[in-house]
């Protein structure tokens, strides 16, 4: 069995377990059984028919014997002479004739081939004579050979019976004939089976082509090559349906695989970026220390410069680590501890801080009172600060106009921060929430952080069940809209976190 | 290590603090240092400053380090040491195959950087370290002397630079335009004829009447055969 599985079935060979072999063998077996049935039915029918025909013809012969002939026959038999006269009647060869009179006396009249018709009991006789009984012949195998026996009443004229004639013939020639018929049938049946075998082989091979196509296709599909599909128009409904469901499965697999790949790629990029951002300040600090150790420490102004730079780099490193920790905390528990409060009050508290940050820029603050919300005040303050700082960084120090508004719209609380900076070009706008992403003109590290601010903002907003949207026109400015659900609509469950 | 006079190093990085410590440290070691905070400035400085070694960061806004290397290597024979914060084999292979001579991963040891700078200098600019003997010539850049068969040649500064350039690039065909660019500088607006004039006077001083040392290849330029 094992070898049958490991051996690859060749295109021309028939394996015991192959579909082709099974289809072929089973259809041939069914064909043979059917032919056998037909043979048996034919045999039974033919045998019955042959015996009936023989019986009818025997009856006819007896009826053709005239009463006068009967007289002479009976006389001949009763005379008891050994020398038999030539009977005045002509019967088929191989038939024997006997007579039973009213008294039940048996007389053998003609015996061809030396056997005699059996003496019938009265019941048998009556059954054979009675035209209502369907049985009008009898098979008797009491003697050496099986005989076909027919009884015919004999009378001079209607209503007046002399007795009953019993005529019998050997069944052997009839059976021989039947046997010959059956042999011919058997030969034909075997021929038909053989022809069927020859015809089935190529037809089956052709019919199974779509299946072997599928096998070929499946062999070419692996994890790295999921874009292949099974052919679905092969003209076989079952195989096509199978191919379609396989294709559906492949599509789902492909989608899952690519999503997995995308996640891995994001993870890889995140780690690479994080390592870059962490290594850069470390490089400066390390470099300055080495330079100092090589003698620069003896020169006061060089020492001063080095210490200043190292200090600012260590601050940067600190901020980066804090941001990364915050992000990973937000990833693990997006639902911060929140309480119902007034968002407008929190924003009002921040106004002095925002004014300091804005410097000479014009700040337009629009706050609608009594906006009840479930939120974490520290986190919301960070969101406002992050977005506001971004706006400050990207606007002119004197010409800049920053509008902050907090309003209720469509049953939701909307925080909008709008600036008149240079805007974000369309190729960057889809990436700005990615970690460590910085568009070229905001890559200046003296102004910005490591590119985690917007990622943190987004994580916090989503942790509050809100959404954040950015729209921007190059040359006109950028508008960030944060939407929070209102307190009573807030279900208490944060949006599920599937972020990196 | 003996401090080398006249070795020029160009540091290119978008991180101001890294530039700051490189400048400070390398200057203390006695190198001439110039800093550039982006690729375009670096390429412009290349022509003006003519550095021996360029220390180049890979991740820079605008033109990244790989692109800068490709440009620098077209301009001149300069040793490029790339710095990267990404410790990925792909990056290193890419940098080295493009033409970078060495590769260091941040954070790196400053001492190691110095050692690598020296290794590159010895490899690419051997005349800076002492007498370089090439066939009958021996060049000593520190004494600004060239000897032919142990006899010191009396050369003007331009003749010295020209002969040094041609001998160091012996075996190569040097067109007049190339010689003009390398010896006189890109901003020299003079005629190519001046090269002919100087080669003629060099041949006289080398006693090279039948043009055995400095061959003229008609239509292509000159070649020094040692």
């Amino acid at each position: 069995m094992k070898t049958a599985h490991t051996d690859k079935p060749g295109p021309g060979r028939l394996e015991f377990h192959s579909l082709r072999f099974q289809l072929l063998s089973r259809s041939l077996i069914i064909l043979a059984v059917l032919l056998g049935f037909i043979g048996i039915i034919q045999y039974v029918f033919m045998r019955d028919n042959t015996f009936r025909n023989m019986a009818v013809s025997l009856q006819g012969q007896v009826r053709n014997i005239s009463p006068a002939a009967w007289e002479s026959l009976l006389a001949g038999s009763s005379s008891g002479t050994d020398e038999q006269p030539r009977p005045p009647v002509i019967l088929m060869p191989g038939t024997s004739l006997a007579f039973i009179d009213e008294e039940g006396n048996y007389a053998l009249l003609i015996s061809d081939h030396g056997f005699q018709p059996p003496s019938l009991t009265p019941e048998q006789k009556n059954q054979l004579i009675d035209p209502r009984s369907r049985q009008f012949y009898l098979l008797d195998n009491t003697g050496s050979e099986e005989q076909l026996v027919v009884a015919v009443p004999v009378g001079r004229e209607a209503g007046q019976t002399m007795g009953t004639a019993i005529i019998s013939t050997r069944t052997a020639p009839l059976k021989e004939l039947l046997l010959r018929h059956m042999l011919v049938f058997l030969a034909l049946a075997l021929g038909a089976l053989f022809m069927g075998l020859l015809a089935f082989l190529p037809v089956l091979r052709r019919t199974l082509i779509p299946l072997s196509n599928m096998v070929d296709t499946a062999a070419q599909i692996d994890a790295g090559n999921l874009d292949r599909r099974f052919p679905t128009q092969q003209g076989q409904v079952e195989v096509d349906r199978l191919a379609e469901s396989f294709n559906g499965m492949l599509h789902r697999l492909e989608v899952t695989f690519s999503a997995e790949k995308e996640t891995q790629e994001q993870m890889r990029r995140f780690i690479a970026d994080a390592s870059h951002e962490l290594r850069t300040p470390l490089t400066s600090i390390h470099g300055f220390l080495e330079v100092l150790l090589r003698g620069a420490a003896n020169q006061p102004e060089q020492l001063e410069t080095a210490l200043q730079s190292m200090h600012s780099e260590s601050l940067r490193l600190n901020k980066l680590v804090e941001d990364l920790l915050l992000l990973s905390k937000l990833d693990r528990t997006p639902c911060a501890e929140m309480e119902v409060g007034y968002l407008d009050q929190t924003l009002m508290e921040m106004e002095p801080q925002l004014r300091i940050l804005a410097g000479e820029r014009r700040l337009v603050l629009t706050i609608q009172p009594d906006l009840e919300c479930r939120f974490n005040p520290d986190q919301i303050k960070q969101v406002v600060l992050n977005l506001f700082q971004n706006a400050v960084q990207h606007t002119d120090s004197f010409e800049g106009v920053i509008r902050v508004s907090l309003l209720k719209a469509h049953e939701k609380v909307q925080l909008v921060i709008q600036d008149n900076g240079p805007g974000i070009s369309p190729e960057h706008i889809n990436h700005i929430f990615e970690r460590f992403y910085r568009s070229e003109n905001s890559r200046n590290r003296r102004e910005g952080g490591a590119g985690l601010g917007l990622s943190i903002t987004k994580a916090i907003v989503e942790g509050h069940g809100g959404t954040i949207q950015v729209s921007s026109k190059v040359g006109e400015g950028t508008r960030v809209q944060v939407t929070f659900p209102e307190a009573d609509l807030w279900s208490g469950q944060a949006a599920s976190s599937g972020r990196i | 290590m003996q401090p080398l006079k006249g070795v020029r190093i160009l540091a290119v990085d978008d991180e101001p603090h890294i530039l700051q410590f490189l400048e400070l440290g390398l200057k203390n070691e006695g190198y001439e240092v110039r800093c550039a905070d982006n690729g375009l400035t670096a390429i412009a400085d290349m022509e003006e400053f003519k550095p021996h070694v360029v220390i180049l960061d890979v991740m820079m806004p605008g033109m990244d380090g790989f692109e800068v290397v490709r440009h620098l290597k077209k301009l001149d024979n300069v040793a490029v040491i790339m710095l990267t914060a990404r410790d990925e084999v792909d990056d290193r292979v890419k940098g080295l195959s493009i033409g970078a001579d060495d590769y260091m991963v941040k954070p790196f040891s400053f001492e190691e950087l110095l050692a690598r700078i020296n290794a590159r200098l010895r490899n690419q600019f051997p005349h800076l370290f002492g007498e370089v003997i090439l066939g009958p010539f021996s060049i000593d850049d520190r004494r600004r002397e060239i000897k032919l068969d142990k006899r010191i040649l009396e050369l003007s500064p331009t003749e010295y630079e020209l002969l040094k350039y041609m001998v160091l690039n012996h075996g190569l065909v040097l067109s007049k335009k190339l010689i003009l660019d390398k010896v006189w500088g890109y901003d020299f607006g003079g005629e190519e004829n001046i090269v002919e004039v100087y080669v003629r006077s060099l041949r006289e001083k080398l006693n090279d009447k039948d043009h055995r040392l400095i061959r003229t290849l008609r239509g292509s330029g000159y070649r020094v055969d040692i």
Side-chain angles (χ1 to χ4, degrees):
Chain A
M1 282 305 115
K2 207 147 193 183
T3 49
H5 282 290
T6 48
D7 281 356
K8 249 189 135 177
R13 267 192 359 218
L14 271 179
E15 292 288 325
F16 180 68
H17 282 286
S18 74
L19 184 58
R20 256 171 69 202
F21 179 81
Q22 292 188 0
L23 279 176
L24 186 65
S25 56
R26 284 170 197 186
S27 33
L28 287 181
I29 285 170
I30 290 173
L31 193 59
V33 168
L34 284 177
L35 286 171
F37 260 120
I38 292 170
I40 289 166
I41 290 167
Q42 200 183 3
Y43 174 77
V44 169
F45 181 74
M46 264 177 72
R47 198 181 80 134
D48 198 49
N49 221 23
T50 314
F51 287 172
R52 188 184 297 265
N53 285 345
M54 181 52 79
V56 168
S57 98
L58 287 177
Q59 277 177 343
Q61 281 179 26
V62 172
R63 285 206 186 95
N64 281 343
I65 300 173
S66 62
W70 278 118
E71 297 277 352
S72 82
L73 270 175
L74 288 172
S77 85
S78 57
S79 66
T81 50
D82 287 348
E83 191 188 307
Q84 284 215 349
R86 183 165 174 81
V89 288
I90 299 154
L91 289 177
M92 275 197 301
T95 51
S96 302
L97 185 65
F99 187 79
I100 302 174
D101 63 16
E102 294 295 280
E103 285 81 43
N105 299 318
Y106 179 88
L108 179 63
L109 299 179
I110 302 166
S111 173
D112 199 11
H113 296 300
F115 67 92
Q116 58 178 46
S119 164
L120 296 175
T121 60
E123 295 89 64
Q124 285 179 320
K125 196 180 70 185
N126 285 336
Q127 209 173 16
L128 290 177
I129 293 170
D130 190 358
R132 283 168 302 179
S133 138
R134 292 182 57 217
Q135 192 188 1
F136 58 98
Y137 65 89
L138 187 77
L139 290 176
D140 177 79
N141 44 10
T142 49
S144 58
E145 271 191 282
E146 195 185 54
Q147 296 177 56
L148 178 76
V149 183
V150 178
V152 181
V154 178
R156 285 192 187 85
E157 46 202 77
Q160 196 182 3
T161 52
M162 284 167 65
T164 307
I166 294 171
I167 185 165
S168 74
T169 185
R170 283 161 57 217
T171 55
L174 294 176
K175 284 191 171 168
E176 209 172 291
L177 187 72
L178 271 175
L179 192 67
R180 215 172 313 132
H181 272 293
M182 287 325 291
L183 280 176
V184 169
F185 177 79
L186 192 66
L188 283 175
L190 285 176
L193 281 176
F194 184 67
M195 298 282 279
L197 177 75
L198 288 187
F200 266 136
L201 273 174
V203 167
L204 273 179
R205 192 174 303 156
R206 270 195 99 84
T207 315
L208 293 181
I209 282 177
L211 213 52
S212 44
N213 284 348
M214 285 192 63
V215 172
D216 290 346
T217 312
Q220 288 164 1
I221 294 172
D222 54 34
N225 187 17
L226 280 175
D227 53 344
R228 279 199 76 90
R229 290 291 179 267
F230 291 104
T232 54
Q233 298 290 326
Q234 299 202 90
Q236 286 180 0
V237 178
E238 296 86 349
V239 175
D240 287 353
R241 221 179 286 154
L242 180 67
E244 270 163 27
S245 30
F246 264 131
N247 285 349
M249 184 189 75
L250 281 174
H251 177 71
R252 289 191 296 275
L253 271 179
E254 200 179 10
V255 168
T256 319
F257 259 65
S258 60
E260 179 69 16
K261 242 176 167 169
E262 173 67 19
T263 314
Q264 278 180 357
E265 173 57 21
Q266 273 180 356
M267 196 66 203
R268 194 196 62 76
R269 221 164 43 217
F270 172 71
I271 290 169
D273 288 339
S275 119
H276 178 263
E277 295 300 327
L278 288 167
R279 278 165 199 243
T280 303
L282 271 179
T283 307
S284 302
I285 294 170
H286 191 91
F288 272 119
L289 284 172
E290 272 192 272
V291 169
L292 289 179
L293 286 172
R294 288 179 74 84
N298 298 330
Q299 296 173 26
E301 84 270 22
Q302 287 193 2
L303 180 64
E304 172 76 19
T305 319
L307 288 177
Q308 290 284 354
S309 296
M310 279 156 68
H311 183 241
S312 85
E313 289 294 81
S314 69
L315 286 180
R316 181 174 150 196
L317 204 53
N318 205 25
K319 167 95 170 71
L320 188 64
V321 172
E322 267 176 21
D323 282 358
L324 281 173
L325 284 178
L326 176 60
L327 259 183
S328 82
K329 201 172 121 194
L330 286 171
D331 277 347
R332 268 183 289 117
T333 49
C335 269
E337 284 182 16
M338 286 185 268
E339 49 202 45
V340 176
Y342 290 95
L343 202 55
D344 48 304
Q345 283 177 5
T346 309
L347 201 59
M348 295 281 251
E349 287 166 19
M350 292 180 73
E351 193 185 340
Q353 198 181 352
L354 297 182
R355 294 231 177 262
I356 292 167
L357 281 170
E360 297 289 313
R361 297 169 184 82
R362 196 153 71 88
L363 171 61
V364 183
L365 207 56
T366 319
I367 300 174
Q368 187 179 329
D370 298 333
L371 288 174
E372 207 175 10
C373 237
R374 262 179 74 95
F375 64 97
N376 177 314
D378 289 338
Q379 291 191 347
I380 291 302
K381 277 181 186 170
Q382 187 162 9
V383 166
V384 175
L385 272 182
N386 281 351
L387 294 175
F388 192 79
Q389 259 172 341
N390 263 340
V392 168
Q393 274 167 27
H394 293 104
T395 45
D396 186 85
S397 314
F398 300 98
E399 302 293 314
V401 180
I402 302 170
R403 292 168 203 279
V404 178
S405 67
L406 186 68
L407 302 164
K408 187 168 160 184
H410 310 296
E411 306 290 311
K412 285 178 175 172
V413 179
Q414 264 184 9
L415 170 71
V416 177
I417 296 176
Q418 200 169 0
D419 66 46
N420 65 342
I424 307 165
S425 60
E427 74 251 36
H428 293 306
I429 203 154
N430 290 328
H431 301 288
I432 57 168
F433 291 113
E434 285 172 22
R435 289 166 193 198
F436 295 115
Y437 189 85
R438 271 176 294 201
S439 60
E440 293 300 345
N441 44 13
S442 77
R443 268 194 64 122
N444 197 325
R445 291 185 172 90
R446 271 160 294 197
E447 289 175 15
L452 289 174
L454 281 174
S455 307
I456 292 173
T457 306
K458 187 169 189 240
I460 292 175
V461 170
E462 284 176 353
H464 280 74
T467 55
I468 183 162
Q469 285 165 320
V470 182
S471 55
S472 183
K473 264 189 184 168
V474 174
E476 287 181 26
T478 306
R479 181 178 189 272
V480 184
Q481 178 182 316
V482 180
T483 314
F484 294 108
E486 238 193 334
D488 46 358
L489 294 170
W490 174 238
S491 64
Q493 282 298 311
S496 67
S497 69
R499 303 171 307 267
I500 291 285
Chain B
M1 175 77 52
Q2 195 89 330
L4 293 168
K5 282 264 162 141
V7 173
R8 292 176 296 273
I9 296 178
L10 176 63
V12 191
D13 199 322
D14 61 327
E15 289 287 338
H17 290 295
I18 290 182
L19 281 183
Q20 210 179 3
F21 96 75
L22 283 176
E23 187 178 15
L24 194 66
L26 292 172
K27 270 187 176 159
N28 286 351
E29 297 301 317
Y31 295 109
E32 271 182 57
V33 184
R34 192 179 281 199
C35 295
D37 66 358
N38 64 71
L40 284 174
T41 318
I43 289 166
D45 281 348
M46 184 74 191
E47 295 181 12
E48 198 189 314
F49 184 60
K50 292 191 189 306
H52 297 91
V53 179
V54 176
I55 297 167
L56 181 62
D57 183 36
V58 174
M59 286 257 292
M60 286 189 295
M63 206 183 214
D64 72 6
F66 298 126
E67 240 173 296
V68 178
V69 173
R70 234 174 268 143
H71 276 85
L72 292 186
K73 282 289 178 179
K74 266 186 240 165
L75 289 176
D76 205 349
N77 176 29
V78 65
V80 178
I81 299 175
M82 296 197 86
L83 302 178
T84 181
R86 289 176 185 251
D87 185 13
E88 285 186 17
V89 179
D90 283 356
D91 271 15
R92 269 180 278 171
V93 170
K94 189 179 173 193
L96 292 173
S97 59
I98 279 173
D101 298 285
D102 210 341
Y103 217 92
M104 291 188 79
V105 178
K106 290 177 183 177
F108 54 88
S109 143
F110 184 68
E111 217 167 324
E112 190 187 340
L113 177 68
L114 290 177
R116 285 179 190 250
I117 289 171
N118 268 310
R120 292 324 310 169
L121 286 173
R122 254 199 311 281
N123 201 322
Q124 267 165 279
F125 306 97
H127 56 276
L128 294 173
F129 288 83
E131 238 176 341
V132 177
I133 297 168
L134 291 164
F137 294 100
S138 81
I139 304 169
D140 190 339
D141 214 35
R142 291 170 302 179
R143 300 164 72 104
R144 297 188 75 79
E145 276 177 4
I146 299 181
K147 289 184 204 159
L148 178 65
D149 296 328
K150 301 203 171 127
R151 179 174 58 87
I152 296 175
L153 300 169
E154 295 285 332
L155 301 170
S156 73
T158 311
E159 284 170 345
Y160 171 78
E161 290 294 339
L162 175 62
L163 186 57
K164 184 180 95 178
Y165 176 72
M166 291 176 81
V167 170
L168 287 176
N169 292 290
H170 65 87
L172 302 177
V173 178
L174 308 166
S175 71
K176 285 179 202 166
K177 182 170 184 322
L178 187 67
I179 294 170
L180 206 60
D181 282 350
K182 297 294 177 189
V183 180
W184 277 268
Y186 292 95
D187 41 0
F188 182 79
E191 294 283 318
E192 288 180 6
N193 290 346
I194 195 162
V195 180
E196 281 173 43
V197 174
Y198 271 87
V199 168
R200 201 178 306 139
S201 97
L202 268 183
R203 277 175 175 151
E204 241 165 69
K205 292 188 176 176
L206 295 170
N207 206 10
D208 184 23
K209 283 175 201 134
D210 42 2
H211 299 193
R212 278 236 172 123
L213 289 169
I214 303 175
R215 282 182 191 270
T216 304
L217 298 150
R218 217 158 266 290
S220 337
Y222 301 101
R223 190 181 73 204
V224 171
D225 286 340
I226 294 168

